[in-house]
Amino acid sequence: MKAASFAYERPDSLSAALGLLADAHGAARIMAGGQSLGPMLNLRLVQPQLIIDIAGLAELRTVDREGDDLIIGACLTHADLEDGRIPDVSNGVLRRVAGGIAYRAVRNRGTIGGSLGHADPAADWVTTLAALGAGVRLASAAGRRDLAVSEFIHGALQTALRPGELVTAIRLPCLPPTTRFGYAKACRKPGEFAHAMAAVLIEPDKARSRIVIGAIDTTPIVVDDSSLFGGAITNLTKQFDRDLADHLLMQAGVADPAARHIHVSVLARAIAEAAA
Ligand SMILES: Cc1cc2nc3c(=O)[nH]c(=O)nc-3n(C[C@H](O)[C@H](O)[C@H](O)COP(=O)(O)OP(=O)(O)OC[C@H]3O[C@@H](n4cnc5c(N)ncnc54)[C@H](O)[C@@H]3O)c2cc1C
């Protein structure tokens, strides 16, 4: 199928893009890498009157430090992260996760901001960035605001974006070298979207853990009180409470026991990696 006809603008500055977005009163769509929007247009799942292409905006491809955080421009591609074109403040997590997204052709064009803006529950950045405690920076013609990734994702393909707003950057806290991270996902074939995904962050210095279970039909499950380990972060694999994980999945609406079993097994793999 082919996309319905639409007007196309390629603004040369962020302020011009925000102006176009404001003037369109909800009839425009942002396009970054086009890796998710392209298929949606072709299937006519979305039929915007105007596409605003932000891929060429240098302002959205910058990487800056702000205190202890790294501010990663929304239009940095998965390949930019995979190839290490930004400072490694995550002990290699960003490179590794980026390299596991789809195929190189998708990674060359798909962007970190587009991935969050699209908010597919199975997207690697949705789960990973929530686990890393990252934030999202949003801008509109009216101003700018920051949200935690976990506040930004409202559900499958649903975000906190207001009309006229776009994602300009990701705010990533720099991780101390003592931090441990585990990540696992189950895909039917290499390069395909995952049907189960989990990320585990352990911060021994702060005696703190954060676990995210992704690739479910709603917002990712975030557990940051160590309850899945009985309240402590020692002996992670032995203490892992599979029944509690199963219960959380059930509460989140994963009704099929086989699907829950896969999610719990994937989480166990991520925990084993963080514990190693
Ligand atoms: C074959 C295939 C396999 C894939 N497999 C995976 C996978 O395994 N894991 C994974 O994580 N992803 C996967 N993807 C998705 C891919 O990672 C995309 O890069 C990503 O979902 C969207 O990024 P994009 O820059 O292409 O956004 P686009 O397609 O341009 O836009 C997607 C949506 O986000 C909005 N948007 C884009 N940028 C912004 C912004 N800055 N602010 C606000 N809204 C914005 C658009 O309006 C649109 O609604 C796959 C895609 C394909 C085609």
Side-chain angles (χ1 to χ4, degrees):
M1 216 161 146
K2 279 187 183 166
S5 63
F6 53 80
Y8 174 85
E9 294 277 359
R10 196 172 164 89
D12 57 8
S13 70
L14 176 59
S15 63
L18 293 175
L20 286 166
L21 201 53
D23 292 345
H25 300 292
R29 276 268 176 167
I30 294 292
M31 180 183 279
Q35 296 304 293
S36 296
L37 185 58
M40 283 168 59
L41 288 168
N42 285 343
L43 293 168
R44 301 202 176 187
L45 295 173
V46 290
Q47 298 189 29
Q49 288 169 20
L50 170 66
I51 295 283
I52 303 170
D53 186 342
I54 59 168
L57 293 183
E59 291 152 278
L60 300 184
R61 288 190 47 81
T62 56
V63 183
D64 299 304
R65 287 269 185 163
E66 242 180 54
D68 284 340
D69 296 338
L70 192 70
I71 309 296
I72 303 169
C75 285
L76 269 289
T77 62
H78 312 313
D80 286 326
L81 278 78
E82 176 185 16
D83 296 348
R85 281 192 282 277
I86 67 164
D88 180 11
V89 299
S90 69
N91 304 330
V93 171
L94 293 189
R95 283 189 83 153
R96 174 188 161 198
V97 170
I101 294 175
Y103 321 102
R104 182 69 195 200
V106 172
R107 300 198 291 272
N108 280 339
R109 297 200 59 88
T111 65
I112 189 166
S115 181
L116 286 185
H118 186 55
D120 188 316
D124 290 79
W125 292 128
V126 169
T127 296
T128 306
L129 294 174
L132 295 177
V136 189
R137 179 159 289 174
L138 309 173
S140 71
R144 170 181 119 170
R145 62 187 179 125
D146 286 285
L147 291 178
V149 167
S150 50
E151 295 169 316
F152 176 74
I153 303 291
H154 281 186
L157 309 187
Q158 290 177 328
T159 68
L161 277 170
R162 295 175 183 151
E165 251 181 352
L166 56 75
V167 177
T168 58
I170 314 304
R171 173 188 283 273
L172 184 73
C174 302
L175 297 181
T178 47
T179 305
R180 299 205 305 271
F181 190 78
Y183 190 69
K185 58 179 180 173
C187 305
R188 284 188 183 82
K189 284 194 289 182
E192 280 199 347
F193 273 107
H195 55 275
M197 179 183 286
V200 176
L201 180 78
I202 308 288
E203 296 175 280
D205 300 348
K206 297 177 182 160
R208 201 164 68 182
S209 67
R210 187 180 297 112
I211 285 191
V212 180
I213 304 174
I216 55 176
D217 288 344
T218 175
T219 48
I221 299 171
V222 180
V223 186
D224 54 13
D225 59 4
S226 304
S227 53
L228 279 163
F229 308 118
I233 55 159
T234 46
N235 249 335
L236 298 179
T237 44
K238 276 206 175 117
Q239 295 281 90
F240 172 43
D241 188 340
R242 296 181 78 103
D243 291 340
L244 177 56
D246 185 74
H247 178 70
L248 293 174
L249 284 155
M250 206 159 13
Q251 274 185 330
V254 187
D256 177 17
R260 288 203 304 278
H261 178 76
I262 294 170
H263 279 288
V264 174
S265 303
V266 164
L267 175 55
R269 271 171 42 206
I271 290 170
E273 187 187 294

